[in-house]
Amino acid sequence: MTSAPAPRVRPRRLRETPALRRLVSETRLDPAELVLPIFVREGVTEPMPIASMPGVVQHSLDSVKQAVADAAAAGVGGVMLFGVPETRDATGSCGTDPNGILNVATRVVADEVGDALVVQTDLCLDEFTDHGHCGVLDALGRVDNDATLERYREMALVQAASGSQLLGLSGMMDGQVAAVRDALDGAGFAHTAILAYSAKYASAFYGPFRDAVESTLEGDRRTYQLDPGNRREGLREAMIDIDEGADVVMVKPAGSYLDVLADVAAASEVPVWAYQVSGEYSMIEAAAMHGWIDRRRAVIESVRGIRRAGADVVLTYWATELAGWLREGTE
Ligand code: PBG
């Protein structure tokens, strides 16, 4: 019996030592490319736990200050604010009220850390409508695209005036980027940037978020969010948004849509971000609680995979904690 010839090519050489592996690593993580989503709830004096997202809370207007200061101290690149109002109505009027919870929270946060990181706001109606949809409804109960654009235009002006530097358009209405850009430019907010949640899929992974914002939605969002099977359409949506003037485009959720993310990253001339959503967070937390996976390694690997697929920035509920680990250099 003759022995097999020795391999001519040995990729394992570069995996030999920690130092070599570090030197040839293709994807590094940096706190500056992480964004922390934050919930702020009206009418509470203490942070309220969210049952389906262990470790994440609904902040009070007071406790949010410490949370954003911690994020800034850890070097996190930005925060994305969501408001949880006490009362909701058909048109989501809290969203356009300068004294509505999201707009008040934006002023508080901009005041606290506006120079240290980028203050961003969710521009969508679902947290504020009593029916829970991302837009206003027509007489037949369907989400009325163009009437919703009028509401988004108003929201954009209030959010920009409150100190949001980057508006996160997450409603998936046609023409929303152009409509909001036009409204901003016409009102002296030409410098306020737009993050378009371009390829936002109708996903089961938003489940815990709906708890977090106490969503009243019945039914689903399939007439406006993308069908999870559609890859080409995700790219198309991103291209439309870039054409309408989006400064940044996003793919969401992240983990189950890495192919879409890679497609958009290859074609986009603007930065491409990805949102590691609530369900992605909760799955890892739940498995780690059972001792079924190594929490820290799973968190790092999940975010790294999203970066590797092409995201320039990742929105993740672990942003501050992960930034801390990265700064310790013990990744
Ligand atoms: C809509 C919005 C949603 C999320 C962010 N913005 C929920 C939805 O479309 O139902 C989900 C975020 C997450 O799951 O972490 N305003």
Side-chain angles (χ1 to χ4, degrees), residues 53 204-209 276-284 317:
M53 299 182 75
F205 295 111
Y206 305 146
F209 174 95
Q276 183 180 48
V277 302
S278 56
E280 299 177 76
Y281 172 89
S282 300
M283 285 193 297
I284 289 180
Y317 297 96

Side-chain angles (χ1 to χ4, degrees), residues 53 82 122 124 126-127 134 170 197 200 205-207 209-210 221 225 252 275-279 317:
M53 299 182 75
F82 295 90
D122 186 55
C124 191
D126 66 312
E127 285 101 33
C134 296
S170 67
Y197 287 42
K200 181 174 178 184
F205 295 111
Y206 305 146
F209 174 95
R210 301 215 177 140
R221 306 199 196 286
Q225 297 181 346
K252 175 186 174 187
Y275 197 142
Q276 183 180 48
V277 302
S278 56
Y317 297 96

